[in-house]
Amino acid sequence: MGTKSVGLRRLHSATAAGLGMVAGVLAAVAAQRSAWGAINRRLERLEEQAGHQQRANLAVQQRQHWELLSKAIDDPELAEVLNHYDEEISAQRRRQYLFANALYTNLLCYYRIGNLTLEEFFMHARGMFQNPLVRDYWEATRHHRASLKGTEEGKLSELIDDLLVQLDEADNDEWWVVGVPPTDT
């Protein structure tokens, strides 16, 4: 009997030690999961902050772009620096093109920072390009956009090019229903 007691005590001790090890492993796994969860939450916050910073940077860049264009619009000598058109245009037309550039860039910025969906971008562009001067600007700067292929801005430019073809081919005067607005999906 004494031998059985010692054997049972050893078995109980081994079982207790095994259970203790399993409990320790489970506690370590739980602690590791908790740490991974905390790391994942931190990464998500950092990614969110990076997105906010990128949108803030775009807004600052947009403001700088407008300030530069405003100077060129107000000063014909500065506007000459931005004269990249294939044909000679008047100072008045150059100012109009600079303003059309500012309008389009503003629309582009609104889309990039998330203030507009792709569908809303399309609908605003559809209205903006009803103006013949904006269309003339778009055509005069076609070669500028050629280098944008494969970029986000290049894809949006192609979207507008397709829209303009659809508007030109439309059989009705209801321009606000021409084209199928793309979706963000």
Side-chain angles (χ1 to χ4, degrees):
M1 273 291 277
T3 318
K4 283 187 178 178
S5 266
V6 171
L8 281 174
R9 274 186 265 161
R10 284 186 186 159
L11 181 61
H12 286 304
S13 295
T15 303
L19 288 175
M21 284 183 13
V22 168
V25 168
L26 289 176
V29 168
Q32 188 177 23
R33 277 193 175 183
S34 177
W36 280 111
I39 289 170
N40 283 335
R41 286 188 298 278
R42 176 75 173 144
L43 283 174
E44 288 170 0
R45 281 194 304 274
L46 288 172
E47 288 172 353
E48 186 178 321
Q49 288 173 349
H52 291 306
Q53 185 61 50
Q54 182 181 18
R55 288 187 292 280
N57 290 345
L58 279 169
V60 168
Q61 188 275 330
Q62 172 66 18
R63 180 67 188 160
Q64 290 172 340
H65 181 259
W66 172 246
E67 288 173 6
L68 291 170
L69 283 180
S70 292
K71 288 179 181 188
I73 289 170
D74 293 340
D75 186 339
E77 290 177 7
L78 294 178
E80 279 299 316
V81 174
L82 298 174
N83 189 356
H84 303 287
Y85 309 107
D86 289 338
E87 60 187 55
E88 191 61 35
I89 60 173
S90 68
Q92 177 185 359
R93 180 57 54 102
R94 192 179 313 85
R95 290 179 71 201
Q96 292 167 336
Y97 282 6
L98 291 172
F99 191 74
N101 174 272
L103 288 174
Y104 174 71
T105 304
N106 186 57
L107 182 62
L108 182 65
C109 182
Y110 266 44
Y111 170 72
R112 284 181 168 167
I113 64 175
N115 285 355
L116 294 175
T117 65
L118 184 58
E119 182 179 2
E120 291 168 328
F121 173 88
F122 178 88
M123 292 186 291
H124 283 282
R126 185 170 50 196
M128 183 187 319
F129 282 92
Q130 292 307 302
N131 186 296
L133 289 171
V134 175
R135 282 190 181 209
D136 288 347
Y137 155 77
W138 194 254
E139 185 57 37
T141 57
R142 180 171 301 284
H143 63 283
H144 296 173
R145 293 185 305 282
S147 65
L148 299 175
K149 294 225 183 285
T151 65
E152 178 186 40
E153 188 174 350
K155 291 174 186 169
L156 293 171
S157 295
E158 291 170 9
L159 181 120
I160 290 173
D161 289 340
D162 292 343
L163 170 62
L164 292 176
V165 168
Q166 292 173 38
L167 286 167
D168 289 341
E169 293 174 350
D171 288 339
N172 62 30
D173 291 332
E174 296 176 348
W175 57 266
W176 54 92
V177 296
V178 174
V180 177
T183 59
D184 287 311
T185 57

